[in-house]
């Protein structure tokens, strides 16, 4: 029984309250008239005819991908409402194992990683959900979502029935799957399908692996429709008995249409990955796909009666160090933004694709689509001046280490984090040398390194630049190699080779260097909070590099989204109020980092920058993004 105190309410409030109570009673006793409460829950999504059925009635999946781990929690609802208003009925999301189990046996499902809250919110907004729990997800995410501590095992074989991998998967699924079981369709929740792994056809060499993953889901209580997803040329290799095979469309090749024409007539066809754009690499251009081309192709797919999932509907951001990379034909690191040229931009704005999609998808609904949510404004703030400075060498006192080792050790194998090693960021290797000569990396640097002699910068080692001249000097000197993990490859055959830092010997005059002291600089919150600052003189004083810089951003009133621009800076990482916004690099294409308003405070905000080589000593906050010059992907 609900007791209401009405004495002090005005007449208008009496009326509003009465209507509210009536609405709640109607919803409770009659169900939500628009969808999720009125279907037959005994029959889930089925694919046993030329079309899907849900609750025994014909159903077309109109889905869009939004990843909760790439969007601030405060904006989950906004992005979902925009998905619904565009004409979609289903949300798809991956589950990143590496975030949910950052250390073996340490599971995180709170705050920004509250998967249950995310799925429940989708249900409250009348959206169905297709869950993609992995364990491997690709997603252009570091190591395809697999935790780096798996690589501590030198014999590890990822995405296989190797006992060490199977044991870790079972442990993760024991925690993950019980959380989503009550959210399945047949139990009254929004999850109508679950994907088994991701694109195994292009990778798989273990004939038993997909059967293992399928049974791992079924044995823990998953009883909704199972899917696999691969490019059309690998779709048979990546499938598994008992799961519907769906297609990933990477570009509109004529062979794909031929494949669709030859598919069995009684199999519902679903395009699980219909790309809205593409991701970007540092040093390249911003990849875009013309709105007319994308929607024109989608129109043809829908006319065939197919179901679709737009990847991405809203891309979001690779906050922190979570961007992935590609390894073939050569290594490239992905940028921080995951805008993806999607219908809803990185900052949540509508694009021409959104408007064209909404017009197209409205034809597949009997009722008018919901109104488009009002956009949130972006703000330009006064520049933040960096007024405190801490050199890398001074900051080492707050880092974990030094760890002593005769030979180099990859970051994943360092003795820290409760035996889980270092996952992300930078690692510093120091040793003593005498005379100079030629330093040769032997391609054992992953992925880039700044090299110093007695704290003086002498050059950079990369995949392409593997040799460096070391100047002569007197007596013993300290050689320092600061190695950055620029992002592990997200897909491909080299997953098992993604250890970072120094992964083998480096040579000075053809002699392997020995006796290292190693510092971990993963720049986690504990490390960043421990930094102690001292005031320093403004120019003409020249700061040393690499270095940490501290400044303040003042926000007058309610905080809005903004974009951090760093003209005059080189390469590094930005932290605002303890949040790692991600990497920046002057080579582009991205020239501004997205800073969500919910991560700002009214009044003063702390800004910390780690810069490798050069600084303008102030940063700007603009109201518009800058993703660089564009290149068409088709």
């Amino acid at each position: 029984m609900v007791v209401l105190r009405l004495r002090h309410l005005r007449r208008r409030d009496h009326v509003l309250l009465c209507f509210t109570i009536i609405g709640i009673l109607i919803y409770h006793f009659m169900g939500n008239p628009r969808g999720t409460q009125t279907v037959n829950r005994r029959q889930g999504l089925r694919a046993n005819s030329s079309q899907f059925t849900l609750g025994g009635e014909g159903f077309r999946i109109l889905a869009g991908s939004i990843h909760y781990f790439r969007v601030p929690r405060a904006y989950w609802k906004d992005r979902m409402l925009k998905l619904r208003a565009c004409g979609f009925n289903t949300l798809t999301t991956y589950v990143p194992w590496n975030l949910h189990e950052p250390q073996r046996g340490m599971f995180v499902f709170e705050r920004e990683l509250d998967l249950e809250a995310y799925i429940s919110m989708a249900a409250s907004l009348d959206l169905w959900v297709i869950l993609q729990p992995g364990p491997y997800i690709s997603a252009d995410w570091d190591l395809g979502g697999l935790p780096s501590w798996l690589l501590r095992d030198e014999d590890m074989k990822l995405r296989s029935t190797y006992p060490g991998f199977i044991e870790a998967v079972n442990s993760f699924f024991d925690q993950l799957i019980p959380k989503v079981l009550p959210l399945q369709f047949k139990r009254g929740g929004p999850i109508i399908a679950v994907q088994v792994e991701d694109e195994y056809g292009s990778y798989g060499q273990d004939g038993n692996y997909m059967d293992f993953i399928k049974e791992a889901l079924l044995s823990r209580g998953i009883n909704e429709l199972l899917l696999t997803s691969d490019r059309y040329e690998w779709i048979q290799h990546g499938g598994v008995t008992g799961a519907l095979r769906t297609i990933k469309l990477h570009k509109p090749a004529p062979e794909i249409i031929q494949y669709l024409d030859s598919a069995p007539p009684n199999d519902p066809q679903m395009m699980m990955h219909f790309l809205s754009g593409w991701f970007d690499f540092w040093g390249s251009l911003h990849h875009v796909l013309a709105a007319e081309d994308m929607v024109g192709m989608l129109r043809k797919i829908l006319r065939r009666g197919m179901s679709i999932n737009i990847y991405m509907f809203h891309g979001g951001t690779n906050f922190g160090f979570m961007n992935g990379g590609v390894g073939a034909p050569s290594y490239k690191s992905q940028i921080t933004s995951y805008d993806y040229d999607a219908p809803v931009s990185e900052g949540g704005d509508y694009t021409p694709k959104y408007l064209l999609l909404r017009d197209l998808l409205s034809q597949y609904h009997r009722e008018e689509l919901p109104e488009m949510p009002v956009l949130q404004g972006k703000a330009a703030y006064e520049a933040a001046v960096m007024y405190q400075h801490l050199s890398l060498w001074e900051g080492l006192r707050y880092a974990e280490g030094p760890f002593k080792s005769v030979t180099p050790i990859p970051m994943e194998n360092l003795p820290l984090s409760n035996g889980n090693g270092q996952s992300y960021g930078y690692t510093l290797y120091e040793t003593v040398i005498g005379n100079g000569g030629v330093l040769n990396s032997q391609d054992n640097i992953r992925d880039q390194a700044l090299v110093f002699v007695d704290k003086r910068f002498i050059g950079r080692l990369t995949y392409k630049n593997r040799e460096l001249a070391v100047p002569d000097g007197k007596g013993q000197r300290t050689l320092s190699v600061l190695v950055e993990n620029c992002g592990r490859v997200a897909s491909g055959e080299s997953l098992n080779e993604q250890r970072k830092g120094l992964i083998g010997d480096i040579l000075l005059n053809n002699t392997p260097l020995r006796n290292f002291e190693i510092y971990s600089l993963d720049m986690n919150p504990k490390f960043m909070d421990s930094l102690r600052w001292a005031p320093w003189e403004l120019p003409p004083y020249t700061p040393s590099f690499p270095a940490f810089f501290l400044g303040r951003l003042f926000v007058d009133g309610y905080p809005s989204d903004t974009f951090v621009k760093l003209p005059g800076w080189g390469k590094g990482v930005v932290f605002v109020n303890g949040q790692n916004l991600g990497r920046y690099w002057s080579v582009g294409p991205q020239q501004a980092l997205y800073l969500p308003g919910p991560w700002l405070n009214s009044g003063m905000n702390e800004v910390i920058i780690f810069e490798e080589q050069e600084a303008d000593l102030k940063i700007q906050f603009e109201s518009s993004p800058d993703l660089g010059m564009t290149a068409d992907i088709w």
Side-chain angles (χ1 to χ4, degrees), residues 90-107:
T90 304
L91 167 75
T92 67
T93 187
Y94 285 122
V95 177
W97 182 5
N98 54 4
L99 292 186
H100 286 293
E101 193 179 2
Q103 297 182 18
R104 187 187 291 269
M106 175 191 292
F107 298 97

Side-chain angles (χ1 to χ4, degrees), residues 125-199:
L125 300 177
D126 207 25
L127 287 167
W128 303 114
V129 173
I130 296 177
L131 187 67
Q132 300 163 296
Y136 167 83
I137 62 172
S138 183
D140 311 314
W141 193 250
D142 186 273
L143 202 59
L146 301 175
S148 65
W149 47 259
L150 290 168
L151 297 175
R152 290 177 64 85
D153 180 350
E154 62 181 16
D155 298 319
M156 176 58 64
K157 295 178 178 60
L158 302 174
R159 305 182 73 190
S160 77
T161 52
Y162 175 74
F165 187 69
I166 292 302
E167 179 185 359
V169 171
N170 279 328
S171 176
F172 174 55
F173 274 9
D174 283 344
Q175 298 294 320
L176 169 66
I177 301 305
K179 293 182 180 299
V180 299
L181 289 182
L183 299 170
Q184 294 183 99
F185 175 86
K186 294 171 187 172
R187 298 194 184 187
I191 298 175
I192 58 174
V194 176
Q195 183 171 303
V196 183
E197 248 272 357
D198 192 71
E199 284 192 290

Side-chain angles (χ1 to χ4, degrees), residues 41-341:
R41 292 283 178 169
R42 289 174 296 178
Q43 296 184 26
L45 187 67
R46 293 186 177 180
N48 53 7
S49 64
S50 60
Q51 66 173 354
F52 289 105
T53 60
L54 183 65
E57 299 182 0
F59 181 72
R60 186 198 293 256
I61 302 170
L62 300 174
S65 291
I66 307 174
H67 299 155
Y68 60 99
F69 48 94
R70 282 180 160 129
V71 181
R73 179 168 180 163
Y75 286 155
W76 286 354
K77 184 174 182 180
D78 174 78
R79 304 321 190 234
M80 290 184 194
L81 286 172
K82 288 170 180 171
L83 181 73
R84 190 78 176 83
C86 196
F88 292 90
N89 56 29
T90 304
L91 167 75
T92 67
T93 187
Y94 285 122
V95 177
W97 182 5
N98 54 4
L99 292 186
H100 286 293
E101 193 179 2
Q103 297 182 18
R104 187 187 291 269
M106 175 191 292
F107 298 97
V108 182
F109 288 94
E110 296 84 32
R111 297 181 294 279
E112 306 289 317
L113 294 175
D114 192 339
L115 177 61
E116 294 168 276
Y118 186 72
I119 296 173
S120 298
M121 181 179 291
S124 72
L125 300 177
D126 207 25
L127 287 167
W128 303 114
V129 173
I130 296 177
L131 187 67
Q132 300 163 296
Y136 167 83
I137 62 172
S138 183
D140 311 314
W141 193 250
D142 186 273
L143 202 59
L146 301 175
S148 65
W149 47 259
L150 290 168
L151 297 175
R152 290 177 64 85
D153 180 350
E154 62 181 16
D155 298 319
M156 176 58 64
K157 295 178 178 60
L158 302 174
R159 305 182 73 190
S160 77
T161 52
Y162 175 74
F165 187 69
I166 292 302
E167 179 185 359
V169 171
N170 279 328
S171 176
F172 174 55
F173 274 9
D174 283 344
Q175 298 294 320
L176 169 66
I177 301 305
K179 293 182 180 299
V180 299
L181 289 182
L183 299 170
Q184 294 183 99
F185 175 86
K186 294 171 187 172
R187 298 194 184 187
I191 298 175
I192 58 174
V194 176
Q195 183 171 303
V196 183
E197 248 272 357
D198 192 71
E199 284 192 290
Y200 198 67
S202 62
Y203 179 89
Q205 301 175 0
D206 187 332
N208 298 318
Y209 177 66
M210 290 295 283
D211 283 309
F212 159 71
I213 298 298
K214 183 189 76 171
E215 290 304 316
L217 296 170
L218 295 177
S219 64
R220 288 170 173 82
I222 294 294
N223 62 359
E224 302 299 339
L225 180 68
L226 297 181
L227 310 171
T228 61
S229 181
D230 287 280
R231 298 192 196 186
Y232 79 96
E233 62 265 38
W234 299 317
I235 195 168
Q236 297 304 323
H237 301 291
V240 61
T241 303
L244 177 71
R245 292 173 169 86
T246 68
I247 309 166
K248 287 191 172 185
L249 176 67
H250 281 221
K251 58 182 179 179
E255 299 84 46
I256 294 177
I257 302 300
Q258 295 174 10
Y259 170 81
L260 294 176
D261 288 338
S262 64
N266 291 328
D267 283 356
Q269 294 180 349
M270 179 164 183
M271 195 72 70
M272 191 62 189
H273 260 52
F274 185 94
L275 297 185
S276 64
W278 198 246
F279 52 83
D280 299 330
F281 306 106
W282 291 115
S284 66
L285 299 176
H286 173 45
H287 295 92
V288 298
L289 173 58
E292 295 80 6
D293 291 342
M294 175 204 159
V295 176
M297 184 64 183
L298 181 61
R299 183 176 290 107
K300 295 178 182 178
I301 296 296
L302 291 174
R303 284 175 179 171
R304 301 178 67 91
M306 296 185 69
S307 289
I308 55 98
N309 174 53
I310 301 296
Y311 187 99
M312 297 289 298
F313 172 78
H314 169 60
T317 309
N318 297 315
F319 293 115
F321 296 119
M322 300 312 301
N323 63 278
V326 298
S330 60
Y331 175 81
K332 295 180 181 178
S333 173
Q334 292 167 216
I335 68 172
T336 299
S337 172
Y338 202 63
D339 178 86
Y340 218 82
D341 196 32

Side-chain angles (χ1 to χ4, degrees), residues 388-391 394 535-544 549 617:
Q388 290 182 303
H389 166 267
L390 185 71
S391 75
E394 295 171 316
W536 60 291
E537 299 176 10
L538 294 175
Y541 168 77
T542 302
S544 62
F549 296 86
L617 306 186

Side-chain angles (χ1 to χ4, degrees), residues 255-560:
E255 299 84 46
I256 294 177
I257 302 300
Q258 295 174 10
Y259 170 81
L260 294 176
D261 288 338
S262 64
N266 291 328
D267 283 356
Q269 294 180 349
M270 179 164 183
M271 195 72 70
M272 191 62 189
H273 260 52
F274 185 94
L275 297 185
S276 64
W278 198 246
F279 52 83
D280 299 330
F281 306 106
W282 291 115
S284 66
L285 299 176
H286 173 45
H287 295 92
V288 298
L289 173 58
E292 295 80 6
D293 291 342
M294 175 204 159
V295 176
M297 184 64 183
L298 181 61
R299 183 176 290 107
K300 295 178 182 178
I301 296 296
L302 291 174
R303 284 175 179 171
R304 301 178 67 91
M306 296 185 69
S307 289
I308 55 98
N309 174 53
I310 301 296
Y311 187 99
M312 297 289 298
F313 172 78
H314 169 60
T317 309
N318 297 315
F319 293 115
F321 296 119
M322 300 312 301
N323 63 278
V326 298
S330 60
Y331 175 81
K332 295 180 181 178
S333 173
Q334 292 167 216
I335 68 172
T336 299
S337 172
Y338 202 63
D339 178 86
Y340 218 82
D341 196 32
V344 172
S345 72
E346 179 181 19
D349 293 327
Y350 300 118
T351 70
K353 285 179 183 172
Y354 184 96
L355 301 178
L356 290 175
L357 273 175
R358 177 177 160 89
D359 181 64
L360 172 62
L361 296 181
S362 67
Q363 303 171 28
Y364 294 88
H365 293 268
R366 296 176 182 176
E367 302 175 359
E368 288 189 11
L369 297 180
E371 292 186 6
M372 294 165 54
V374 175
L375 293 179
Q376 306 211 0
K378 309 296 190 294
Y381 296 112
E382 289 293 325
V385 176
M386 302 292 108
Y387 64 93
Q388 290 182 303
H389 166 267
L390 185 71
S391 75
L392 170 68
W393 318 110
E394 295 171 316
L396 289 181
R397 72 185 71 172
Y398 309 111
E400 294 195 68
F403 306 102
K404 298 181 183 297
S405 176
V406 174
T407 58
I409 302 175
M411 62 163 55
E412 295 83 1
N413 290 96
L414 290 176
L416 49 81
S417 302
N418 299 314
N420 289 274
Q422 179 181 343
S423 295
Y424 312 105
Y426 295 76
T427 310
L428 180 69
Y429 298 80
E430 292 192 329
T431 188
V432 174
I433 63 171
N435 292 329
V438 176
L439 185 67
N440 189 324
S441 73
Q442 296 197 111
D443 196 27
N444 283 328
I445 295 224
R446 296 290 185 274
D447 298 292
Q448 296 189 33
L450 303 179
V451 183
F452 307 82
V453 174
D454 286 343
K455 302 179 183 178
R456 292 181 178 272
F457 176 69
I458 64 169
R460 184 186 292 266
L461 291 171
T462 66
Y463 285 98
K464 294 181 179 179
N465 180 30
R466 300 179 183 178
E467 289 190 348
L468 189 63
V470 177
D472 289 328
K474 296 180 180 180
Q476 291 189 330
R477 298 173 297 162
T478 299
L479 177 76
S480 304
V481 183
L482 180 65
V483 185
E484 180 191 9
N485 168 4
C486 296
R488 295 181 182 86
V489 165
S491 61
E493 298 178 357
S494 64
L495 283 181
N496 293 310
E497 303 163 6
Q498 292 306 303
R499 294 167 183 86
K500 298 295 185 177
L502 286 185
I503 65 169
D505 285 335
I506 57 174
L507 311 179
L508 181 59
N509 299 328
N510 296 319
T511 300
L513 293 174
R514 290 291 180 259
N515 300 318
F516 288 89
E517 290 191 344
I518 307 172
Y519 295 84
S520 171
L521 291 158
D522 59 2
M523 302 189 188
N524 60 36
K526 179 181 178 181
F527 169 76
M528 299 303 293
D529 289 342
S530 71
L531 298 179
R532 295 296 177 263
W533 306 84
W536 60 291
E537 299 176 10
L538 294 175
Y541 168 77
T542 302
S544 62
F545 293 96
F548 298 90
F549 296 86
L550 174 65
R552 295 285 187 267
L553 162 65
F554 180 76
V555 173
D556 185 11
Y558 190 81
S560 298

